[in-house]
């Protein structure tokens, strides 16, 4: 590896979500090129990007269609202020998003990253109730083990202790409901039965706090940063109906699960529900450029529409809101979905992921293999019978990470959970390579 670059990097960079001291022993990998499912480092070593570069990439690196769209847009307009001005890519993208998202979502408000899209939904929900004269509504209900981003508002409605705990004193006072996550269900209980049981506690909170709660925020079907824990769509149906009953907004954070990850274009479709707000980012641009959008209903939009002097407007903005290059990448991404049977092909890929990992269910140190569509997670465990987890300090997942890198596969376990969330252009043969490497890594990491 070109150590000169590494030294230069470590002299001036502070990498995200990283204890920088780890890099005294952990190699930093310099990528110079990407193509399809592959990323290539400066020594020419290639890695299969089995985690879509942090869940953003959908159709491969250097996708010819998306590349062409961005290049064409670049020669026309790179960026323009979106207040008072507009541009064709953002208009067309908004029309198409309204078309493909669940019914009732009719407006697009843009931001430039997922956390900001969550902030928009939280602020807008609160502000909606104020515009209606409901001043008591100042709180949010979130789900245990959820993740909605790193800014203080988004972190407030997140509940993964690793990211949240230290900042606790700075955060909003939110109400936390137990997760519908099915990992800890009793033996013999189905996903559906467990997720339904878990709803009872949510119902109690909704009854008790209806007057002071603006919205419930939830990640539909998969708590991605929360160790890829999964649940049954029945929970979402129950939640939608209850939010309507108690006059509370439902915010669906599909930043990670949107655009086909769980098998349907949006995870909400599997519960046949429409949220009041939907947050999208990550796959929105096919993994190319930072862009995020919060969609909402006409009813919410109307509550802000008034004479300026009444001060009901949503005076929120981000500098790069609705960036034309990002919008052109998003449009090209939607063109690929429209022009090819992507979701149909993914059924085959998802089955391939399932079949190749099925035997891991019997592994003495694997608690569970779970899957929703194109997201498959394998949870390692110290004691399968007592369900005692490996202590986090042992960093078993890191052993899998290192092994996989050596074998030319990018996996990035979350604690003891190894997961596959590949770009949709991956082949069954490449899935087989990834799974074999993951299995070797799991054997190594659980050996002692
Ligand atoms: C990644 C993620 C976010 C935050 O998005 P950023 O662009 O990283 O700020 C929010 N919610 C979910 C569910 C995510 O996975």
């Amino acid at each position: 590896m070109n150590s000169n670059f590494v030294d230069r990097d470590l002299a001036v960079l502070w990498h995200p979500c990283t204890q920088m001291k780890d890099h005294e022993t952990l190699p930093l990998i310099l990528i110079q090129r990407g193509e399809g499912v592959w990323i290539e480092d400066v020594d020419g070593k290639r890695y299969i990007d089995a985690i879509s570069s942090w869940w953003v990439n959908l159709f491969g690196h250097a996708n010819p269609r998306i590349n062409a769209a961005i290049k064409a847009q670049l020669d026309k307009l790179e960026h323009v202020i979106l207040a008072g001005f507009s541009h064709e890519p953002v208009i067309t993208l908004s029309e198409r998003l309204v078309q493909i998202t669940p019914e009732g979502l009719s407006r697009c408000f843009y931001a430039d990253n997922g956390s900001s899209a969550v902030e928009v939904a939280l602020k807008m929900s609160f502000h909606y109730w104020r515009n209606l004269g409901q001043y008591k509504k100042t709180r949010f209900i979130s789900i245990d083990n959820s993740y909605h981003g790193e800014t203080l508002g988004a972190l407030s409605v997140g509940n993964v202790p690793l990211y949240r705990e230290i900042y606790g004193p700075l955060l909003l006072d939110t109400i936390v409901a137990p997760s519908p996550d099915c990992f800890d269900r009793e033996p013999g209980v189905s996903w559906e039965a467990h997720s339904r049981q878990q709803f009872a506690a949510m119902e109690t909170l909704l009854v008790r706090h209806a007057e002071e709660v603006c919205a419930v925020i939830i990640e539909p079907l998969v708590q991605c940063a929360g160790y890829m824990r999964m649940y049954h769509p029945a929970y979402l149906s129950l939640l939608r109906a209850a939010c309507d009953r108690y006059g509370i907004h439902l915010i669906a954070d599909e930043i990670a699960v949107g655009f086909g990850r769980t098998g349907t274009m949006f995870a909400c479709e599997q519960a046949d529900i429409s949220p009041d707000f939907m947050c999208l980012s990550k796959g929105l641009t096919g993994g190319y450029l930072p862009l995020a959008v919060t969609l909402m209903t006409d009813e919410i939009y109307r509550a802000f529409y008034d004479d300026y002097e009444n001060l009901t407007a949503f005076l929120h903005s981000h500098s790069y809101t609705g960036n034309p290059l990002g919008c052109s990448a998003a449009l090209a991404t939607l063109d690929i979905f429209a022009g090819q049977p992507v979701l149909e092909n993914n059924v085959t890929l998802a089955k391939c992921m399932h079949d190749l990992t099925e035997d891991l269910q019997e592994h003495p140190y694997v608690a569970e293999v779970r899957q929703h569509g194109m997201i498959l997670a394998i949870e390692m465990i110290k004691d399968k019978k007592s369900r005692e987890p490996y202590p986090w300090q042992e960093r078993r997942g890191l052993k899998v990470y290192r092994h996989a890198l050596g074998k030319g596969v990018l996996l990035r376990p979350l604690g003891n959970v190894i997961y596959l969330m590949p770009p949709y252009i991956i082949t069954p043969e490449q899935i087989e390579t990834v799974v074999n490497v993951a299995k070797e890594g799991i054997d190594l990491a659980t050996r002692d």
Side-chain angles (χ1 to χ4, degrees):
M1 180 63 71
N2 193 325
S3 66
N4 184 30
F5 276 115
V6 174
D7 291 344
R8 283 173 54 199
D9 177 295
L10 294 177
V12 291
L13 269 91
W14 190 336
H15 289 270
C17 204
T18 298
Q19 171 48 266
M20 290 300 290
K21 187 164 190 286
D22 277 357
H23 281 306
E24 290 180 10
T25 53
L26 196 66
L28 183 68
I29 297 163
L30 294 153
I31 296 299
Q32 62 173 358
R33 182 170 293 126
E35 189 188 1
V37 80
W38 299 98
I39 48 176
E40 182 187 308
D41 73 15
V42 289
D43 294 333
K45 183 174 165 90
R46 303 208 306 162
Y47 307 82
I48 297 178
D49 186 354
I51 60 157
S52 299
S53 281
W54 253 348
W55 324 340
V56 298
N57 192 290
L58 297 184
F59 298 114
H61 297 275
N63 181 286
R65 196 152 180 180
I66 305 175
N67 281 13
I70 295 171
K71 285 176 186 168
Q73 181 58 40
L74 186 57
D75 282 332
K76 289 188 222 155
L77 174 68
E78 81 298 335
H79 186 67
V80 68
I81 178 173
L82 198 67
F85 293 80
S86 194
H87 51 84
E88 207 255 304
V90 81
I91 296 168
T92 310
L93 179 60
S94 305
E95 288 171 348
R96 290 180 66 178
L97 287 172
V98 166
Q99 231 169 48
I100 63 170
T101 50
E103 206 181 329
L105 296 169
S106 61
R107 289 271 158 190
C108 297
F109 191 99
Y110 288 88
D112 43 24
N113 65 79
S115 305
S116 298
V118 168
E119 301 282 344
V120 166
L122 298 175
K123 283 178 66 179
M124 209 180 256
S125 172
F126 165 81
H127 198 157
Y128 167 90
W129 296 113
R130 286 200 88 82
N131 283 351
L132 262 59
Q134 299 222 27
Y135 293 98
K136 281 193 202 147
K137 284 189 179 278
T138 57
R139 300 181 76 189
F140 298 94
I141 295 181
S142 63
I143 311 285
D144 196 23
N145 190 46
S146 59
Y147 179 87
H148 298 289
E150 302 292 356
T151 54
L152 291 175
L155 200 58
S156 295
V157 288
N159 294 290
V160 178
L162 182 63
Y163 307 123
R164 176 196 167 99
E165 209 152 77
I166 186 79
Y167 305 104
L170 301 180
L171 303 179
L172 300 173
D173 176 29
T174 54
I175 299 159
V176 185
S179 173
D181 157 27
C182 292
F183 183 72
D184 287 321
R185 70 191 187 281
E186 294 296 320
V189 174
S190 70
W191 278 34
E192 175 164 4
H194 181 77
S195 291
R196 283 181 180 277
Q197 278 166 25
Q198 291 300 92
F199 188 74
M202 171 64 90
E203 176 100 32
T204 306
L205 291 175
L206 290 169
V207 172
R208 188 182 306 152
H209 297 285
E211 280 217 327
E212 55 171 341
V213 169
C214 305
V216 176
I217 181 165
I218 190 164
E219 295 159 275
L221 301 188
V222 188
Q223 298 185 309
C224 293
Y227 309 94
M228 296 293 166
R229 291 293 180 81
M230 302 181 183
Y231 62 92
H232 194 275
Y235 187 91
L236 294 171
S237 312
L238 293 170
L239 182 59
R240 173 69 280 183
C243 284
D244 284 342
R245 253 191 330 275
Y246 301 113
I248 291 170
H249 288 146
L250 178 60
I251 303 171
D253 176 353
E254 295 228 14
I255 290 166
V257 295
F259 300 101
R261 290 287 183 198
T262 67
T264 42
M265 191 64 168
F266 299 102
C268 280
E269 293 170 28
Q270 294 184 42
D272 200 17
I273 61 153
S274 292
D276 300 290
F277 295 91
M278 183 183 270
C279 304
L280 301 171
S281 188
K282 293 204 164 104
L284 174 60
T285 61
Y288 266 68
L289 287 160
L291 185 71
V293 60
T294 307
L295 290 108
M296 68 288 306
T297 62
D298 200 50
E299 189 187 338
I300 290 162
Y301 177 73
R302 290 275 142 211
F304 291 78
Y305 197 90
D306 202 349
D307 294 329
Y308 186 83
E309 294 71 22
N310 292 331
L311 291 178
T312 57
F314 190 60
L315 302 181
H316 177 115
S317 64
H318 297 286
S319 306
Y320 284 102
T321 291
N323 173 262
L325 293 170
C327 290
S328 69
L331 284 167
T333 300
L334 294 184
D335 283 343
I336 297 173
F337 274 109
Q340 296 168 21
V342 175
L343 299 178
E344 289 83 345
N345 293 345
N346 283 358
V347 173
T348 311
L349 294 176
K351 179 160 190 319
C352 175
M353 284 161 57
H354 169 270
D355 292 350
L356 291 167
T357 52
E358 206 173 9
D359 57 340
L360 277 172
Q361 304 273 12
E362 308 306 321
H363 192 284
Y365 300 105
V366 169
E368 178 177 85
V369 183
R370 53 182 175 267
Q371 182 176 17
H372 260 311
M374 291 295 284
I375 307 174
L376 183 137
I378 305 154
E379 181 142 353
M380 300 186 293
I381 197 155
K382 183 173 180 178
D383 189 326
K384 213 164 169 160
K385 271 224 177 71
S386 70
R387 310 268 294 175
E388 183 192 348
Y390 283 116
W392 62 267
Q393 296 88 341
E394 295 177 4
R395 304 183 78 181
R396 304 239 169 198
L398 192 59
K399 294 180 182 156
V400 180
Y401 173 77
R402 282 178 181 274
H403 172 76
L405 282 183
K407 296 282 181 171
V409 174
L410 169 54
L411 294 169
R412 199 173 190 279
L414 294 154
N416 296 320
V417 176
I418 294 99
Y419 67 89
L420 276 56
M421 201 195 287
Y424 306 157
I425 43 89
I426 197 167
T427 64
E429 294 72 31
Q430 288 163 342
I431 291 176
E432 193 168 355
T433 304
V434 170
V435 169
N436 287 339
V437 168
K439 284 178 177 173
E440 291 164 12
I442 290 165
D443 282 341
L444 269 173
T446 58
R447 189 167 285 168
D448 46 50

